[in-house]
């Protein structure tokens, strides 16, 4: 509620918070494994949290998808799964959504339904640069809007810093605690001439450790401003970003840092991912 600065729906936030513990237990029963530290769950302070409450699953969302698929298979007497199917538009019956038309293996398919629930994800691909999977195209928004649904909360897009090369991916906030050096393609420090008096790049990165998304509510904003300024001045790299040096972030260095946002636990996982994907490191 505090992070949303008055824009979050209190009832919805309360439902999410109240249901989280049972959902975690349910996922565990279904075989999803959450990271532990000693006898307890590993939890850390992720974006804008004032206390640690974020759990970690190795493999990100994939174990959740695998567990849910298994549960669906166990209910196959009641659930019909139609895979490899692209829904094109919704059918309107008596002023309500009454089914959909889809394309499956080149054939058009009409599906009648008493009710329609869309779970087609967000619309990250509407942006030229983004870190979303290729199928996050906003199809559900468009299909619902086309038959007269009102779209709400469209302004809640998370815009944040990511890697542009060797692949597009998220740059988690905790990594900033490692104080990486950021330079333009000519090797100049990108913060030069950007920071207000009294603010150092260390202050900016230290603040940004608390959250991934861009925020104008704290001094971390100067990080994105410095990066974008370098790009706007034509000093960005051929991949549309700036250069970041993480080579100093050895185990020894990272374990010597103060950790209140998860860098000790999370950085080795991120670094392992980068190494597996043969990032230059
Ligand atoms: C890089 C990155 C890192 C993230 N990290 C985290 C994190 O650490 N923790 C966290 O909680 N969240 C994280 N998120 C957010 C999280 O992944 C999403 O909020 C979540 O996956 C949304 O789930 P969803 O089921 O609503 O949509 P999705 O997972 O996007 O699923 C939508 C599905 O609908 C399908 N679809 C779309 N259009 C059609 C169509 N026309 N016909 C048929 N099928 C269609 C898509 O193929 C897809 O399978 C991250 C997101 C990104 C991009």
């Amino acid at each position: 509620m505090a992070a949303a600065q008055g824009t979050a729906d209190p009832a919805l936030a309360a439902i999410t918070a109240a249901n989280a513990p049972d959902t975690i237990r349910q996922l565990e029963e279904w075989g999803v494994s959450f990271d532990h530290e000693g006898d307890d769950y590993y939890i850390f302070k992720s974006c804008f949290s004032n206390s640690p409450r974020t759990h970690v699953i190795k493999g990100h969302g994939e174990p959740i998808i695998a567990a849910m698929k298994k549960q669906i298979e166990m209910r196959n007497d009641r659930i019909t799964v139609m895979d490899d199917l692209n829904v094109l538009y919704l059918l309107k019956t008596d002023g309500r959504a009454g089914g959909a038309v889809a394309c499956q293996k080149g054939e058009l398919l009409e599906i009648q339904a008493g009710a329609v629930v869309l779970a087609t994800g967000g619309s990250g691909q509407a942006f030229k640069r983004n870190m979303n999977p290729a199928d996050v195209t906003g199809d559900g928004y468009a299909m619902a809007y086309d038959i007269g649904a009102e779209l709400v909360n469209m302004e809640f897009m998370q815009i944040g810093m990511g890697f542009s090369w060797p692949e597009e991916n998220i740059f988690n906030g905790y990594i900033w605690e490692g104080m990486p050096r950021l330079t333009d393609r000519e090797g100049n420090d990108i913060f030069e001439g950007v920071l207000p008096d009294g603010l150092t790049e260390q202050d900016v990165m230290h603040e940004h450790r608390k959250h991934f998304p861009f925020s104008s509510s704290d001094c971390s904003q100067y990080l994105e401003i410095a990066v974008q300024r370098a790009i706007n001045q034509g000093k960005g790299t051929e991949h549309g970003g700036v250069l970041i040096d993480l080579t100093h972030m050895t185990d020894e260095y990272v374990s010597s840092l103060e950790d209140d946002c998860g860098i000790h636990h999370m950085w080795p996982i991120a670094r392992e991912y980068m190494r597996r994907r043969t990032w230059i490191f």
Side-chain angles (χ1 to χ4, degrees):
M1 292 301 295
Q5 297 180 16
T7 60
D9 176 344
L12 197 54
I15 291 169
T16 308
N19 284 320
D22 281 349
T23 305
I24 286 168
R25 279 188 275 275
Q26 173 87 90
L27 287 170
E28 277 182 326
E29 275 170 33
W30 290 352
V32 177
S33 158
F34 290 85
D35 269 16
H36 277 69
E37 200 167 54
D39 292 339
D40 212 343
Y41 292 107
Y42 172 71
I43 46 170
F44 74 107
K45 265 199 241 171
S46 72
C47 298
F48 301 107
S49 298
N50 47 21
S51 63
R53 61 169 71 96
T54 299
H55 290 60
V56 176
I57 303 170
K58 296 227 168 63
H60 227 87
E62 282 168 22
I64 298 184
I65 294 173
M68 308 254 303
K69 268 182 150 172
K70 223 190 289 160
Q71 291 299 315
I72 290 170
E73 279 159 21
M74 284 160 61
R75 294 163 176 77
N76 63 8
D77 54 330
R78 285 180 288 142
I79 304 174
T80 307
V81 177
M82 301 167 90
D83 233 336
D84 291 330
L85 175 150
N86 198 25
V87 179
L88 303 177
Y89 57 90
L90 300 179
L91 297 169
K92 202 169 174 180
T93 318
D94 299 332
R96 293 169 49 110
V101 171
C103 179
Q104 192 180 36
K105 298 192 174 101
E107 299 286 323
L108 280 187
L109 190 74
E110 190 175 303
I111 305 160
Q112 301 288 338
V116 175
V117 176
L118 288 167
T120 46
S123 61
Q125 290 295 343
F127 292 83
K128 186 174 168 201
R129 301 300 299 265
N130 68 80
M131 299 163 239
N132 288 247
D135 54 0
V136 180
T137 50
D139 281 21
Y141 300 153
M143 290 190 282
Y145 185 72
D146 265 352
I147 64 155
E150 186 190 351
L151 303 184
V152 296
N153 294 340
M154 296 303 288
E155 68 278 31
F156 292 109
M157 293 291 300
Q158 253 191 3
I159 308 286
M161 192 92 82
F163 291 98
S164 62
W165 183 85
E167 63 182 279
E168 287 182 348
N169 213 323
I170 194 168
F171 194 101
N172 285 300
Y174 62 80
I175 304 178
W176 294 118
E177 192 68 297
M179 307 288 158
R181 189 166 138 73
L182 293 165
T183 49
D184 64 25
R185 71 152 181 253
E186 292 159 6
N188 305 308
D189 188 324
I190 62 161
F191 288 100
E192 264 172 43
V194 171
L195 300 176
D197 280 351
L199 201 64
T200 66
E201 54 184 85
Q202 283 75 22
D203 296 335
V204 169
M205 292 194 200
H206 186 59
E207 193 60 35
H208 220 317
R209 82 194 185 289
K210 296 182 191 163
H211 52 89
F212 150 73
F214 170 73
S215 173
S216 57
S217 63
D218 60 43
C219 73
S220 74
Q221 63 184 291
Y222 290 104
L223 226 167
E224 280 89 348
I225 290 171
V227 170
Q228 196 60 48
R229 190 191 67 151
I231 294 169
N232 292 353
Q233 289 176 339
K235 293 179 181 170
T237 66
E238 65 204 281
H239 304 291
V242 296
L243 297 164
I244 187 163
D245 185 355
L246 302 166
T247 50
H248 65 292
M249 288 180 62
T250 58
D251 288 343
E252 201 181 7
Y253 169 77
V254 170
S255 56
S256 74
L257 299 171
E258 196 189 318
D259 178 20
D260 66 345
C261 287
I263 192 167
H264 289 176
H265 188 92
M266 301 301 288
W267 172 243
I269 300 174
R271 192 180 48 191
E272 180 53 32
Y273 172 89
M274 293 171 183
R275 285 193 172 142
R276 263 203 328 269
R277 315 280 281 224
T278 61
W279 289 32
I280 297 170
F281 212 81

